[in-house]
Amino acid sequence: MSVRIGAWLSLLPLLASGVGLPAFAADRALLIGIGTYENLPPQLFLHGPKNDLVAMEALLAGTMGFDHSAIRVLKDDQATRSAILSSIEEWLVAGTAPGGRAYLYYSGHGLQVTDHDGDEDDGMDEALAPFDLVAGSKDWDGAITDDELDAILERLKGRAVTLVIDACHSGTISRSLSGDVSAGIDGARFLPRPEAKPVEQALTRGLRIDLGVVDRPKRVAESGIVAWSASASYQIAWDDVRLPLESRHGVFTEAYIAGQMGTTADANGNGLTSNAELLEYVRAQSAAYCASQAKCDTLDPQLETKAQFLGASAVAPTQTVNEAKARYRPVGSDEATPTRYQASDAVDAVGDIVGRADSGDVVVSIDHATPMKPGDVFKVTVTSKVAGSLILLDVSATGMATQIFPNEFARKITPLAANVPLTLPDEYYGFDFEASGKGESAFVALVVSDAVDLTDVAPSTRGLKIELAARETLSEIVARLQKTWTEGLDRRGIRWSVGTLRYHVE
């Protein structure tokens, strides 16, 4: 640790880090893009999927290192229900083994159908629309449901599985449409139910919300899956209607690909684009698109994965082999393959896990010049432009962290007021902060503006008392902050800001 709380705080042993990775095995990717549908009217066709497929294949064969022979593409009339399911089964499941990569991408319409096994609270399964989907009198026939995908993902255990869905699955889609719902809307990647009728926005806003990959695979959080979806379950996914018809892409797909090219999404500039950084990038690009379109309310792409994969590379770092060995290390996980890396230095990894650069909304300062010497006494001050609850961690290069706030020594745990500095420790603590150890460390201040209950991931009982594994602790907190805010009629991302301060002890 780099901060000693008086002379009485004992430090816990450093946790062991890093485990062996499985041998590299066969990779397989299945790319599905459907813009024209056998049984749908032309006004419900999409122009983006055909271009999405070309761009995704280039990404996989280039940046992601897939051999062209390992990529199967199903386009339009090739992507019938039977062709999709058989390809997933024999190409992805049977064609890969533990230690390899399995990549499944879908670009096209999403929809809902009646849930027949009782596993959905709202009675509806989220689903994908194959080429030969048929509209029944009240429901869609031939859709590929989230239950079917969930069973397939279960059979891919041991692979590094990436699932990317550029479609929409919202049951409240009609709130964003006007006129005849069944006619659809230009660029919207969602098929309303066949009997859907237009309704007033106020009547449907916030009536339901599902969290999931199509509707969230039930075991994704415990698996090795990295699952991306173009929007939250209450939002519309879009073709980019700003482009000419023949040049359109999915808004999400376009940002997802751009974020993995070069350093576009590398917010902390360490040469590694992490999953968290990629998520923040595609969310920013999606929000910018939505702000330009009158019929787009909000747009929040989703990432579901293990918390420990947030700071892992979305693609392999671009440095030379020798540089990469010094700066990065494979993520320790039974499901991981040599394509997932993380920053070797825990302080460098902070930005990869948080995913966003400091915006200046939260400022951390100390009242002592740096570098400091062991035993130097100092105070930490946090100032936020926006009111909210504070979590303050001290992260050392050894990979350990201390939760500075909240803690049981503070006289009163209250949210930060906007632009009102909070200084730690104050006179009520009865002790000082003293610099200890050597090397570079960082204070990480997270200010959460929404009333999110974080007591299980940052309880005050461990503040200043327990030495923590820095990566795991910060990842668990950030994973919680990436969830959806669902209070009242609000459906949006949780509002939070971050500020960091690096300091050095000689």
Side-chain angles (χ1 to χ4, degrees), residues 16 58 106 139 190 192 205-206 225 283 289 303 312 341 352 355 378-379 388 395 400 406 451 463 466 481 489 496:
Y106 174 88
D139 218 337
F190 181 79
R205 180 178 295 277
I225 296 171
R283 283 184 169 176
Y289 173 82
L303 168 64
Y341 297 86
D352 294 329
F378 66 94
K379 296 181 185 295
V395 176
M400 305 308 291
I466 301 173
L481 297 179
L489 298 180
W496 60 283

Side-chain angles (χ1 to χ4, degrees), residues 91-386:
W91 184 252
L92 288 185
V93 178
T96 60
R101 290 182 291 177
Y103 196 103
L104 177 59
Y105 171 81
Y106 174 88
S107 173
H109 276 306
L111 56 123
Q112 285 191 309
V113 293
T114 302
D115 170 38
H116 293 293
D117 62 5
D119 68 337
E120 302 284 358
D121 291 338
D122 66 348
M124 302 299 295
D125 275 328
E126 272 64 40
L128 304 179
F131 172 76
D132 52 349
L133 182 80
V134 176
S137 59
K138 291 187 177 182
D139 218 337
W140 294 103
D141 295 328
I144 298 173
T145 67
D146 56 347
D147 289 340
E148 291 175 289
L149 284 180
D150 194 40
I152 291 165
L153 294 172
E154 183 69 15
R155 297 199 298 278
L156 284 168
K157 279 184 175 179
R159 288 82 161 168
V161 180
T162 302
L163 176 63
V164 182
I165 305 292
D166 194 347
C168 176
H169 312 276
S170 171
T172 54
I173 190 72
S174 55
R175 70 190 170 110
S176 300
L177 304 181
S178 59
D180 185 2
V181 176
S182 64
I185 187 171
D186 186 29
R189 295 188 167 200
F190 181 79
L191 294 176
R193 302 188 75 199
E195 84 286 5
K197 297 294 186 296
V199 292
E200 292 299 323
Q201 177 171 334
L203 296 178
T204 58
R205 180 178 295 277
L207 290 182
R208 64 177 291 277
I209 178 174
D210 300 311
L211 297 176
V213 227
V214 185
D215 174 40
R216 189 179 187 172
K218 303 167 184 61
R219 289 169 288 277
V220 68
E222 292 76 37
S223 69
I225 296 171
V226 178
W228 297 87
S229 50
S231 63
S233 59
Y234 50 89
Q235 296 172 331
I236 306 171
W238 295 90
D239 268 8
D240 190 340
V241 299
R242 298 170 300 186
L243 300 173
L245 285 179
E246 293 306 308
S247 301
R248 287 183 181 179
H249 288 273
V251 171
F252 169 79
T253 295
E254 192 169 18
Y256 175 79
I257 292 172
Q260 296 178 77
M261 306 298 290
T263 60
T264 304
D266 182 13
N268 64 350
N270 69 340
L272 182 151
T273 297
S274 69
N275 285 313
E277 288 175 315
L278 181 58
L279 176 63
E280 290 296 329
Y281 176 80
V282 297
R283 283 184 169 176
Q285 296 301 306
S286 297
Y289 173 82
C290 213
S292 72
Q293 301 298 310
K295 292 184 178 180
C296 183
D297 186 10
T298 57
L299 191 53
D300 298 297
Q302 302 291 298
L303 168 64
E304 293 287 349
T305 190
K306 283 184 174 181
Q308 73 182 88
F309 287 160
L310 288 179
S313 60
V315 293
T318 57
Q319 277 72 17
T320 64
V321 173
N322 289 336
E323 276 186 306
K325 284 183 179 178
R327 297 185 63 184
Y328 314 113
R329 69 182 190 189
V331 175
S333 170
D334 290 340
E335 288 90 8
T337 74
T339 58
R340 287 179 180 153
Y341 297 86
Q342 60 186 357
S344 297
D345 183 272
V347 176
D348 288 340
V350 167
D352 294 329
I353 296 168
V354 171
R356 55 179 69 174
D358 287 6
S359 64
D361 289 340
V362 180
V363 177
V364 186
S365 62
I366 56 178
D367 66 346
H368 196 292
T370 59
M372 293 187 286
K373 292 181 171 28
D376 283 349
V377 175
F378 66 94
K379 296 181 185 295
V380 184
T381 298
V382 180
T383 308
S384 175
K385 291 181 180 178
V386 180

Side-chain angles (χ1 to χ4, degrees), residues 30-49:
L30 178 61
L31 308 181
I32 303 164
I34 311 173
T36 62
Y37 288 82
E38 183 176 27
N39 303 303
L40 296 182
Q43 63 263 33
L44 290 177
F45 289 1
L46 296 169
H47 297 276

